[in-house]
Amino acid sequence: MGSCTKCGNPNVIIKRKASGQALCNDCFIESIEKKVKQTIKKENFIEKGDKVLVALSGGKDSVVTLEILNSYVKRHIIELCAVTIDEGIAGYREEGVEIAKAHAERLGIPHKVVSFKECFDIDLDEIMKKENHRGSCTYCGVFRRWIINRAAREFGATKIATGHNLDDETQAILMNYLEGNTENLAKIGPKTESNSDLFTVKIKPLREIPEKEIGLYALAKGLDIHLAGCPYAQESFRMEISNILNELVKEHPTIKYSTLRGFDKIRPAIRSEMAHDYEFDRCERCGEPSSNRLCRACTFLEELGK
């Protein structure tokens, strides 16, 4: 791969097809951290005094998010806390929970583990055994957001940071467009805000970083991460979209970047045309914010007989 285009080091660990740039270990780490911090500054993700809750699964995306945001803690700009969600997937989730605990302890960050079972009296394995289930990702997304938002209020967090990367964002854009889900398309973006104080602002510091580069960053930094993929993900529409995009990247290396940038340009118009200003009250069953009598989580639980 030649030598590093930044410092001349012959020990190159990546050659970026999109830019032609070849980087050694240290220059690659520096480039990722610089790009994430540029995104944070550009999108005005954090302010001095923020308390940021990281949704920490133990996987590469959330661990890298925690690691980079911790540099702001060292500079006394923000505080960090973390929540890990145990969805109840036997043989898969246990390792991720232990890795998340270890990282929180290593950095001295307040951390809690919350399970689907304790919150909803049912776990994902049990849901997937039911004949009338809607698919794993549908429940997981709704139940995880319910737990994370509640944990943010309990911690007194002012922001929630998730590990959504470039691949996640482009998959979501394409999925929702192909499904004609313009309402969800209007919600995609770097920062999610609500007119209800019961919702904490969500930010995506890694949204411009490709998934493979996040994995390489974790390896280059020597960060312990949970490598296994969710066993239910193979069944999802998202995985089909992911495979399509990854095939396109082979011949069109910049396709994910251009998809995100193009969407960001038209996002204000989509939001203006399609987004709704919901009036939020509290779900009459769980007390969480909802624009209907029951929140989405409680609606699903009712369908599941819970």
Side-chain angles (χ1 to χ4, degrees), residues 16-19 166 248-257:
R16 289 171 167 154
K17 284 187 178 181
S19 65
L166 177 66
L248 287 170
V249 164
K250 291 177 183 178
E251 297 298 326
H252 310 279
T254 63
I255 197 74
K256 292 177 184 177
Y257 295 103

Side-chain angles (χ1 to χ4, degrees), residues 117-300:
K117 190 71 174 179
E118 68 183 86
C119 288
F120 310 118
D121 193 32
I122 192 168
D123 61 32
L124 199 57
D125 282 344
E126 291 171 315
I127 291 172
M128 295 305 290
K129 289 174 184 174
K130 291 184 173 286
E131 290 184 4
N132 65 333
H133 72 73
R134 292 169 173 256
S136 59
C137 294
T138 300
Y139 297 106
C140 207
V142 169
F143 291 163
R144 283 173 60 86
R145 285 191 292 273
W146 189 98
I147 291 172
I148 291 167
N149 197 60
R150 188 180 67 164
R153 292 202 311 273
E154 291 172 350
F155 271 119
T158 54
K159 303 281 171 59
I160 295 168
T162 62
H164 290 84
N165 57 49
L166 177 66
D167 295 58
D168 295 324
E169 291 289 88
T170 53
Q171 288 161 21
I173 291 164
L174 191 53
M175 279 170 58
N176 285 293
Y177 179 76
L178 291 176
E179 290 180 318
N181 195 337
T182 50
E183 189 170 308
N184 276 357
L185 202 61
K187 295 176 184 176
I188 297 170
K191 185 189 289 188
T192 305
E193 299 177 277
S194 169
N195 56 9
S196 170
D197 293 337
L198 296 172
F199 285 114
T200 304
V201 175
K202 296 183 180 71
I203 59 173
K204 302 172 183 175
L206 305 184
R207 77 186 296 263
E208 297 184 45
I209 309 295
E211 183 177 23
K212 287 184 178 178
E213 293 195 14
I214 294 169
L216 184 59
Y217 175 91
L219 184 66
K221 289 275 286 189
L223 299 171
D224 189 20
I225 55 174
H226 185 211
L227 291 168
C230 174
Y232 294 121
Q234 302 301 322
E235 306 168 8
S236 70
F237 180 48
R238 179 179 282 273
M239 184 58 68
E240 294 181 60
I241 296 298
S242 173
N243 292 337
I244 291 169
L245 283 166
N246 287 335
E247 281 298 312
L248 287 170
V249 164
K250 291 177 183 178
E251 297 298 326
H252 310 279
T254 63
I255 197 74
K256 292 177 184 177
Y257 295 103
S258 59
T259 299
L260 184 67
R261 287 171 187 150
F263 176 76
D264 281 348
K265 287 177 183 176
I266 64 173
R267 180 164 47 87
I270 294 173
R271 287 180 63 86
S272 174
E273 186 69 25
M274 303 305 307
H276 302 286
D277 289 327
Y278 293 107
E279 290 295 326
F280 287 101
D281 202 345
R282 288 182 181 268
C283 170
E284 68 179 38
R285 181 166 295 170
C286 70
E288 288 297 301
S290 175
S291 58
N292 297 303
R293 182 178 67 86
L294 295 181
C295 68
R296 195 100 184 276
C298 287
T299 300
F300 285 167

Side-chain angles (χ1 to χ4, degrees), residues 13 25 41 47 51 87 94 143 156 178 219 225 245 291:
I13 66 167
N25 194 86
K41 184 176 181 180
E47 301 170 83
K51 187 172 189 178
E87 302 93 345
E94 297 89 346
F143 291 163
L178 291 176
L219 184 66
I225 55 174
L245 283 166
S291 58

